Amino acid sequence: MTELIPQPRSVVAGSGEVRLTARSRFYASRGTEGVGNWLRATLQQATGLPLREGQELDDACDDGIGLQLDRALGPEEYRLVSDPNGVFVEGGSAAGVFWGAQTLRQLLGPDAYRRAPLDRDRTWAVPHLTIQDSPRFRWRGLMLDVARHFMPKEGVLRYLDLMAAHKLNVFHFHLTDDQGWRVQIKRYPKLTEIGSWRARTKFGHRASPLWDDKPHGGYYTQDDIREIVAYAAERHITVVPEIDVPGHSQAAIAAYPELGNTDVIDTNSLSVWDTWGINPNVLAPTDNTLRFYEGVFEELLDLFPSEFVHVGGDECPKDQWKQSATAQARIRELGLADEDELQSWFIGHFDKWLSARGRRLVGWEEILEGGLADGAVVSSWRGYEGGITAARAGHDVVMCPEQHVYLDWRQDGGEDEPVPIAHVRTLEDVYRFEPVPAQLTEAEARHVLGAQANVWTEVMEDHARVDYQTFPRLAAFAEVAWSALPAPAERDFADFERRMTAHYPRLDALGVAYRPPTGPLPWQRRPGVLGRPKDGPPPNA
């Protein structure tokens, strides 16, 4: 069972195996207790073995498991040794030990991912080997959009487990959009009382004639958020919240109409948006709006300890600002050239506000328009160009170009693909994604913090649809973000496919409704629901 994903940097095979039995001991040395609690509980429920605690590392000898720190290793680096003395996982930090524990779980076979033992008499064995491993990037992210279709808390916790199993460590939590506000803000209760529910939902692409006429929504209480953040931290995952401004904000405006451009439209008539696309109703660039969102972010910072806070900044149409006397007066007052610079001022305000509180602003690449906010991190989504521009200007970048890692894009050109969106992006396409643009110098490339796969849920009505779009491509992405792969054209996709044959049973044991290599199963199809397929390869940008 050495068909590992993501691929480690070095695996040296031995000639025997360590067998875990009822007499096996488990020891977690100082600094690894949290990982030890997680791994011991996980293996106990899957194997049925007691894995009694040892009092010192030597108690884990012969047929046991030992965890310890080795400060000579990098922060997320680990070494896994299975030999006649037992199985030992060492890491440069608790995070490194945790990633080594994930590798150990893979080595035990797919039944190690189950929540109860299938056969209490079976043999659990780890082959003798030595693995040396560390990640290529510090930011290995997954963005999950819970605004378009709400995912209950239990589903979010499940996705954190799936991320951890693939050594992903940043969960970008897309909490607000035109179609729903998903986080409780106590000083503004109408954000969830009104903004978290829509009356109906477009079924399929926005051009589809189909509607789901039952109300859709939900939100996370602040205690739910604390639980999610704590659960992620136990798995060495950072949760980065996103509150979208100044576009993608109709749910907030529906709850508090004074946030919109009241001198252009009747904002009291707006409801939470029930369809998809780019919405013209954006926030008014007023002091009242700034104070309101400062209040939102104040509560958010208490909930999310992440260094990074995402403020969106994408797809903000300027038509209402062009028509608004209030917005035009603000442009003149600030001495700005146009509406693009007005958006830059808006984002820059929150960049300074967050920086003063020890946080860093992240935004989609449109924050480049009108001038890049000082200290901001750019999520480059429309292609590589935004990331290249930002890195050359000395700004950190997360590469998530839609042409490569938008997992809502269809996986195959077949007619059975459910609600097909955009161009075909196969498992191999994702595997050949390269996060660092070749145009960057070595110094500029150091600004690439890492990469992120994005899951937008407009056409994903439940967790099974999210699974179908996300897997198995997330496994390929995880290898790209973790492993030291050669150039895209030189990558051994055949070997990756071979290792995936061992990985599919792990996903089965985890209950993941992935797209089978042979195509969608009958219940995964959505016949008659309009999508928006595009032919040919996606344009390079």
Side-chain angles (χ1 to χ4, degrees):
M1 292 304 299
T2 56
E3 293 86 356
L4 301 172
I5 290 176
Q7 187 176 53
R9 287 177 179 260
S10 170
V11 180
V12 178
S15 59
E17 64 182 18
V18 173
R19 293 195 174 190
L20 300 181
T21 68
R23 61 180 289 271
S24 296
R25 296 278 180 172
F26 186 99
Y27 178 75
S29 62
R30 179 177 295 181
T32 70
E33 296 91 346
V35 180
N37 291 338
W38 174 85
L39 179 60
R40 184 165 174 252
T42 298
L43 295 185
Q44 281 176 328
Q45 72 176 7
T47 66
L49 298 174
L51 296 176
R52 295 181 179 89
E53 286 190 64
Q55 298 304 308
E56 55 187 24
L57 199 60
D58 288 345
D59 285 350
C61 65
D62 297 338
D63 62 355
I65 298 171
L67 311 179
Q68 63 181 347
L69 297 179
D70 180 350
R71 299 299 185 185
L73 300 175
E76 292 189 278
E77 187 176 2
Y78 71 89
R79 180 187 304 113
L80 189 155
V81 178
S82 172
D83 62 19
N85 295 313
V87 180
F88 297 92
V89 180
E90 300 172 304
S93 68
V97 176
F98 182 75
W99 303 130
Q102 293 291 350
T103 298
L104 172 57
R105 197 181 183 194
Q106 288 197 23
L107 291 170
L108 285 166
D111 286 345
Y113 290 84
R114 297 193 180 274
R115 297 185 184 181
L118 303 186
D119 179 0
R120 291 184 179 273
D121 296 324
R122 68 162 288 173
T123 298
W124 294 92
V126 180
H128 285 173
L129 47 62
T130 298
I131 296 176
Q132 298 272 163
D133 202 8
S134 61
R136 180 184 179 192
F137 293 108
R138 60 173 285 199
W139 187 302
R140 306 180 302 279
L142 172 69
M143 189 228 68
L144 182 61
D145 166 22
V146 297
R148 272 51 178 270
H149 278 100
F150 179 64
M151 180 177 285
K153 180 191 68 179
E154 292 75 14
V156 175
L157 299 179
R158 173 176 175 265
Y159 258 82
L160 291 170
D161 280 330
L162 294 174
M163 288 179 63
H166 293 83
K167 298 186 174 69
L168 300 176
N169 70 339
V170 178
F171 178 54
H172 176 167
F173 206 6
H174 184 81
L175 288 163
T176 73
D177 218 295
D178 299 301
Q179 295 86 359
W181 184 285
R182 306 292 179 219
V183 57
Q184 178 189 30
I185 303 297
K186 291 183 177 179
R187 74 186 69 185
Y188 304 128
K190 287 191 282 188
L191 286 172
T192 46
E193 290 171 2
I194 296 173
S196 70
W197 288 92
R198 57 181 181 261
R200 63 175 188 168
T201 299
K202 175 67 70 173
F203 193 28
H205 181 253
R206 62 179 174 272
S208 168
L210 303 176
W211 293 89
D212 181 348
D213 286 319
K214 69 180 179 183
H216 176 86
Y219 67 92
Y220 310 102
T221 67
Q222 293 199 355
D223 281 345
D224 290 338
I225 293 293
R226 292 185 182 96
E227 180 182 356
I228 288 167
V229 169
Y231 195 85
E234 289 175 350
R235 287 147 183 79
H236 298 275
I237 295 171
T238 298
V239 183
V240 176
E242 180 180 355
I243 301 293
D244 239 320
V245 296
H248 288 289
S249 297
Q250 182 161 318
I253 298 169
Y256 291 92
E258 65 271 20
L259 296 173
N261 294 283
T262 57
D263 58 347
V264 176
I265 62 164
D266 177 13
T267 55
N268 286 291
S269 67
L270 295 178
S271 59
V272 178
W273 212 26
D274 57 14
T275 190
W276 321 122
I278 298 176
N279 190 307
N281 297 305
V282 303
L283 298 174
T286 63
D287 290 340
N288 175 66
T289 300
L290 298 181
R291 300 293 88 76
F292 183 96
Y293 275 88
E294 286 171 2
V296 169
F297 284 119
E298 281 176 4
E299 293 195 25
L300 211 70
L301 297 190
D302 285 339
L303 299 171
F304 295 93
S306 166
E307 173 188 359
F308 303 97
V309 176
H310 208 293
V311 301
D314 63 316
E315 297 179 331
C316 178
K318 309 298 192 298
D319 296 342
Q320 289 185 358
W321 287 355
K322 290 176 181 178
Q323 300 170 39
S324 167
T326 300
Q328 293 302 311
R330 176 123 276 184
I331 288 174
R332 292 191 297 271
E333 169 197 338
L334 296 170
L336 303 177
D338 54 23
E339 291 77 19
D340 283 343
E341 288 196 4
L342 184 62
Q343 177 170 343
S344 180
W345 164 82
F346 196 105
I347 296 296
H349 173 87
F350 288 102
D351 181 40
K352 295 181 179 69
W353 190 91
L354 289 166
S355 295
R357 288 154 181 82
R359 308 299 183 95
R360 295 183 68 188
L361 178 145
V362 190
W364 302 109
E365 67 186 62
E366 286 92 329
I367 66 173
L368 290 163
E369 297 169 4
L372 184 61
D374 292 340
V377 178
V378 171
S379 298
S380 186
W381 72 273
R382 291 182 293 192
Y384 286 107
E385 185 177 353
I388 292 169
T389 300
R392 285 176 173 169
H395 292 271
D396 289 339
V397 179
V398 176
M399 296 304 302
C400 49
E402 60 178 344
Q403 300 90 341
H404 299 272
V405 290
Y406 266 38
L407 302 186
D408 52 308
W409 288 26
R410 59 191 173 133
Q411 302 178 69
D412 188 87
E415 294 183 359
D416 287 334
E417 290 304 308
V419 199
I421 298 297
H423 299 275
V424 172
R425 294 286 83 188
T426 65
L427 183 67
E428 182 173 0
D429 290 329
V430 175
Y431 190 67
R432 298 195 188 280
F433 164 53
E434 172 49 50
V436 179
Q439 299 94 317
L440 296 182
T441 66
E442 184 177 345
E444 292 165 348
R446 284 196 285 271
H447 285 291
V448 179
L449 299 179
Q452 181 172 288
N454 294 338
V455 181
W456 300 103
T457 63
E458 287 93 335
V459 298
M460 301 180 209
E461 72 277 9
D462 56 32
H463 87 269
R465 280 286 290 121
V466 175
D467 280 5
Y468 180 90
Q469 291 299 135
T470 303
F471 288 97
R473 291 183 295 180
L474 192 67
F477 170 80
E479 184 147 311
V480 168
W482 177 277
S483 304
L485 298 178
E490 299 168 10
R491 293 176 188 172
D492 190 347
F493 180 68
D495 178 70
F496 177 77
E497 280 191 305
R498 180 188 63 80
R499 287 181 286 118
M500 279 300 298
T501 62
H503 198 63
Y504 286 119
R506 298 177 192 133
L507 298 179
D508 289 330
L510 287 164
V512 178
Y514 59 85
R515 181 190 187 276
T518 53
L521 299 168
W523 52 87
Q524 293 175 320
R525 300 166 188 162
R526 296 293 184 275
V529 182
L530 186 68
R532 186 196 56 178
K534 294 183 179 180
D535 295 329
N540 289 321

